[in-house]
Amino acid sequence: MDRENLTQEESMEVIRQMISMSRRKFGESGFHFLLWGILVIAAALVQYFLIMQGFGPESNWVWVAMPIIGVPIAVVYEMRRQRREQVKTKFDNIYATLWQGFGIALLLIIPVSLLMRVNPIPFLLILIGLATFVSGAIVRFVPLKVGAVVFWITAVLSLWLKDADLLLAYSAAVFLGYVVPGLMLRKRFKAESGV
Amino acid sequence: MWCRVSCCASGSKLKAVFKPLDPLLTSELRLAVMSLLIAAEQAEFVYLKERTGATSGNLSVQVQKLKSAGYISVKKSFKGNYPQTTCKVTTAGVDAFEKHVEALESYIKPRS
């Protein structure tokens, strides 16, 4: 590939070939959806069990364990993934920025809700729904958009649920909105990367 | 900049409008590198080498020319213990590429 002074047709052919060669499916493996989905479900079910055993607000501490376990795993995974990646597209940047913004909003919603003495879960569900919906559009994966709708419906239903039942509803929503699409994404990723 | 060229075909006089081509992008390898970076935004040198099939030496020279023209930025860093060169298309590079493609289209489909 060292020709100079290409003809117009040759130039267009080079552009077409290169763009077609670099076109790739968005490499979302579903890892983060599975990781956080499983951790959220585990935390919600453990807290539900504790409430059933008669524990009070101290059962909320179970949620602290979630980032302590999840963040190091997620960081190590991302570092390894970025080491493998040779190319970064605009979509990679948009996707990463979306979830960074989600993380910041999450860190704000929880203390603000608690200071206002309201349950943060419905607001979290709305926020998770938004991030999941946009992710579905970025990675072109409809199950994520469906999952987002499940989060939003659960947020509305939570108006009629008590705290313990809300935890069960939260677990079911995360299972349908994160774990199921995460498993489907993983299957698609493996099929595309020939693993 | 536009230039107006008159040409005759089957006795009828056609006027076609051609735009000037970017001389830097008439090289196959430089055009290929720009096309890859337009599609990906940012890519490692190794990725460009694999996709174009060029030798490291030739690719380095062409990447340097694109960098000197301000079409791409080149960042050298380390990935683990290995040196890594990352190329990224600049706004000037995107503009130049778009103008070049428009010019190519004007030659292929001349306006009457």
Side-chain angles (χ1 to χ4, degrees), chain B residues 41-83:
Chain B
E41 195 181 32
Q42 181 180 311
E44 286 180 25
F45 186 86
V46 179
Y47 173 86
L48 297 175
K49 187 169 170 267
E50 281 172 8
R51 292 295 189 275
T52 58
T55 61
S56 296
N58 192 11
L59 184 58
S60 290
V61 171
Q62 305 310 331
V63 160
Q64 195 53 46
K65 285 184 181 174
L66 290 170
K67 186 189 166 195
S68 301
Y71 289 3
I72 63 171
S73 63
V74 179
K75 192 175 130 193
K76 291 187 186 292
S77 58
F78 278 90
K79 198 181 213 180
N81 294 322
Y82 301 96

Side-chain angles (χ1 to χ4, degrees), chain A residues 60-75:
Chain A
N60 282 319
W61 284 102
V62 74
W63 292 100
V64 177
M66 196 183 74
I68 291 173
I69 298 169
V71 169
I73 296 173
V75 168

